[in-house]
Amino acid sequence: MSATIPGTVFSRTPVDAAAVDHALDGVRGACFWIEDLPVRPEHPVLRRAIDTDLLVVGGGYTGLWTAVVAKQREPGRRVVLVEAERIGWAASGRNGGFCAASITHGEENGRSRWPDQYDELERLGIANLDAIEATVEQYQLDCDYERTGELDVAIEPHQVEELRASGAEVLEADAVRRLVDSPTYLAGVLDPDVALVHPAKLARELARLAADLGVEIFEGTRATGIDGDGRNGPVRVTTETGIVTARRVALATNVFPSLLARYRMHTVPVYDYALMTEPLSAGQLASLGWEGRQGVGDMANQFHYYRLSRDDRILWGGYDAVYHYGRRVRPAYENRPETYRRLAGHFLATFPQLEGLRFSHQWAGAIDTSTRFCAFHGRALNGRVAHTAGFTGLGVGASRFAAEVMLDRLAGLDTERTRLDMVRRMPMPFPPEPIASIGIQTTRWALDRADHRGGRRNAWLRTLDALGLGFDS
Ligand SMILES: Cc1cc2nc3c(=O)[nH]c(=O)nc-3n(C[C@H](O)[C@H](O)[C@H](O)COP(=O)(O)OP(=O)(O)OC[C@H]3O[C@@H](n4cnc5c(N)ncnc54)[C@H](O)[C@@H]3O)c2cc1C
């Protein structure tokens, strides 16, 4: 059946160019979440030499959770965190805010890579989300946390077949449309183990909690080098303005070049784009239903994710995932008018009842993509340095789990986390340019083509699948 339907629902549902023009008229090129922060406390630049028990490099969620949990585990130890720019300015401040229990980038990816350990990975992921929720409640983190669950929607006939084959409890089209009303929905599944947060508020609040627990935070402090004395001596991290001597170091620098050369090829930045609407009126909201306020994702390879904010805006992101030759992170890559227009057109095709609504913000960010689509955990200097990155766009929740892994390892502990194959084994690195670029662009083209051909994967994608490098959302 699917093979007879050409294109995707978006190519079959043309949207009037004037409606897209109107929707984007006056849109600001800025991240809504960061602009929405009432106050962003500033932290000083490190301008001296400092000695500490634990140094954390990177002030996104991974670094902040590492600092917070380190103090919770051992309040007496000295913990210093250095951030090159501002706390939460990068992925952690500008993401979709879907805080999922999954630490494996979804069940399919986890089961295909670690079939024997998947049940444990799922249990640990749910416990991690519960621990995030408990922290939010205990310390009253003001981050618009809502445990809404996520609605995964099939918008093509072949996706309905995939849903039925998965064994999940499938909601038929009318049941899905009673939850959120779009003419594009053919079926859906509800995942209860997902919460929504205000991303930038979560980063700000974690920094507040860390500081309250005694963590010393420095912003505008870029670490530039790392080396260590002997097998067990202190580790020295140089910054542009100071030097830190630490017994242990946790590197939480995500998509940015690692201080450890050996891990630089393990991630590539892939740009993801998002739009935010103005607040919906009561009538516009009523036209959607959406009383459960679930996060929503469609099931294409190139998928959209969307959700409501606390003040009833809709964040609409995803679809285009753009890699630029040379694997650099550059603000210029965030400006991509053709992608914002495509996203706006897909939004209007999904919710035609919202024609006339405008977008207030558009922005982008770099996804720390790894070849296994979930985090890897490296080590250096005889176990005195731990490094985690590679969340591939699902790190809001998983970053806390990664923090626990780094702290377990830095303490030399043998735990259920450190025993996981996912933790013990490293994924393949990406190849150097130009092979990386050719491979990534070919994969993107093939995924787009599969979405347009009833989900059928070509020989290239089947080869990647066989090598454990294939991707399906
Ligand atoms: C547009 C977008 C949407 C996303 N949506 C979701 C979503 O809905 N759900 C989800 O789970 N995930 C999502 N993600 C992914 C998620 O945001 C990330 O996985 C997560 O924020 C990673 O946190 P982090 O702390 O590891 O990295 P980051 O937030 O990138 O923080 C790393 C920090 O390290 C600092 N740094 C780097 N090098 C140095 C150095 N040498 N010295 C000092 N500091 C340094 C950087 O300045 C940066 O602040 C999305 C990402 C993007 C870009």
Side-chain angles (χ1 to χ4, degrees):
M1 174 177 163
S2 52
T4 61
I5 298 180
T8 66
V9 66
F10 303 110
S11 53
R12 296 191 301 274
T13 318
V15 170
D16 185 13
V20 172
D21 288 343
H22 174 79
L24 288 169
D25 187 28
V27 68
R28 288 169 48 67
C31 173
F32 168 78
W33 302 121
I34 292 175
E35 284 207 338
D36 192 46
L37 286 186
V39 210
R40 286 179 83 193
E42 288 192 24
H43 301 276
V45 176
L46 177 68
R47 295 193 191 281
R48 60 197 149 96
I50 204 167
D51 267 323
T52 184
D53 295 314
L54 174 68
L55 170 68
V56 179
V57 182
Y61 300 141
T62 307
L64 291 165
W65 277 117
T66 306
V68 164
V69 177
K71 275 291 194 181
Q72 287 174 324
R73 285 189 186 187
E74 214 182 299
R77 82 171 117 179
R78 187 172 189 189
V79 179
V80 170
L81 183 150
V82 295
E83 160 55 46
E85 301 202 15
R86 300 288 310 273
I87 293 293
W89 76 275
S92 296
R94 61 178 74 197
N95 62 72
F98 286 59
C99 184
S102 177
I103 52 176
T104 58
H105 209 295
E107 179 170 349
E108 199 178 327
N109 191 46
R111 271 200 197 285
S112 69
R113 292 175 197 283
W114 302 288
D116 299 339
Q117 294 183 347
Y118 184 73
D119 289 348
E120 200 180 350
L121 288 161
E122 186 175 56
R123 176 179 61 78
L124 289 169
I126 292 171
N128 181 60
L129 180 59
D130 289 343
I132 292 173
E133 191 163 309
T135 309
V136 168
E137 280 168 13
Q138 183 185 351
Y139 297 98
Q140 305 208 328
L141 304 188
D142 171 18
C143 61
D144 300 354
Y145 183 95
E146 301 178 81
R147 185 102 173 223
T148 58
E150 179 175 331
L151 179 62
D152 295 320
V153 291
I155 54 172
E156 304 292 342
H158 72 270
Q159 296 166 5
V160 180
E161 288 161 28
E162 282 166 31
L163 272 189
R164 293 201 199 294
S166 73
E169 193 183 324
V170 178
L171 302 172
E172 301 302 329
D174 53 348
V176 180
R177 291 188 61 172
R178 276 197 295 278
L179 296 177
V180 185
D181 194 10
S182 164
T184 61
Y185 297 167
L186 303 179
V189 163
L190 264 175
D191 175 356
D193 296 319
V194 178
L196 295 179
V197 296
H198 183 307
K201 282 189 186 173
L202 177 61
R204 180 200 60 185
E205 288 292 277
L206 284 174
R208 174 181 67 80
L209 173 58
D212 287 351
L213 294 172
V215 176
E216 295 153 74
I217 300 178
F218 297 94
E219 291 182 312
T221 303
R222 182 179 305 280
T224 49
I226 187 164
D227 63 42
D229 282 343
R231 281 185 63 75
N232 290 311
V235 179
R236 260 185 318 276
V237 172
T238 48
T239 75
E240 285 163 344
T241 46
I243 184 161
V244 185
T245 308
R247 282 201 308 116
R248 295 286 181 270
V249 177
L251 299 177
T253 53
N254 194 29
V255 75
F256 302 91
S258 175
L259 289 181
L260 301 168
R262 74 178 79 161
Y263 297 126
R264 283 191 199 141
M265 302 299 265
H266 282 80
T267 55
V268 291
V270 173
Y271 273 80
D272 184 37
Y273 297 80
L275 294 169
M276 185 66 111
T277 70
E278 294 172 335
L280 273 64
S281 66
Q284 286 167 327
L285 203 52
S287 76
L288 299 170
W290 218 342
E291 278 153 25
R293 302 178 59 83
Q294 301 89 349
V296 185
D298 69 56
M299 292 179 54
N301 290 311
Q302 290 190 279
F303 62 95
H304 303 88
Y305 57 88
Y306 40 108
R307 56 161 294 184
L308 293 166
S309 65
R310 174 59 59 91
D311 62 347
D312 293 332
R313 298 163 184 267
I314 298 176
L315 171 122
W316 178 263
Y319 198 79
D320 275 359
V322 182
Y323 172 72
H324 296 271
Y325 184 96
R327 63 176 84 195
R328 274 184 281 277
V329 177
R330 282 194 175 151
Y333 296 155
E334 295 168 28
N335 181 20
R336 206 161 190 272
E338 67 271 37
T339 290
Y340 294 122
R341 283 192 72 78
R342 188 171 301 120
L343 279 175
H346 292 181
F347 175 88
L348 292 171
T350 303
F351 295 130
Q353 65 271 51
L354 296 182
E355 191 172 329
L357 184 68
R358 287 180 204 250
F359 294 102
S360 58
H361 293 75
Q362 61 183 27
W363 71 92
I367 299 270
D368 55 332
T369 305
S370 78
T371 55
R372 71 176 183 201
F373 315 116
C374 57
F376 58 83
H377 307 276
R379 274 185 289 197
L381 294 180
N382 199 28
R384 287 167 288 168
V385 179
H387 176 88
T388 286
F391 298 98
T392 317
L394 206 67
V396 175
S399 53
R400 186 188 173 284
F401 181 81
E404 296 244 42
V405 169
M406 287 204 282
L407 292 170
D408 286 354
R409 285 182 138 188
L410 289 173
L413 300 176
D414 175 24
T415 66
E416 56 184 356
R417 285 179 288 264
T418 60
R419 284 193 289 273
L420 292 167
D421 288 344
M422 186 183 92
V423 170
R424 289 170 46 239
R425 305 215 174 112
M426 289 292 293
M428 271 168 60
F430 285 91
E433 295 290 17
I435 303 166
S437 190
I438 294 166
I440 293 166
Q441 307 304 9
T442 307
T443 306
R444 230 194 115 215
W445 171 82
L447 288 171
D448 187 46
R449 193 151 175 266
D451 282 339
H452 283 78
R453 296 168 76 231
R456 274 173 295 141
R457 294 166 90 75
N458 68 7
W460 170 255
L461 292 180
R462 290 198 304 275
T463 307
L464 292 183
D465 290 340
L467 292 171
L469 298 170
F471 192 58
D472 187 318
S473 63

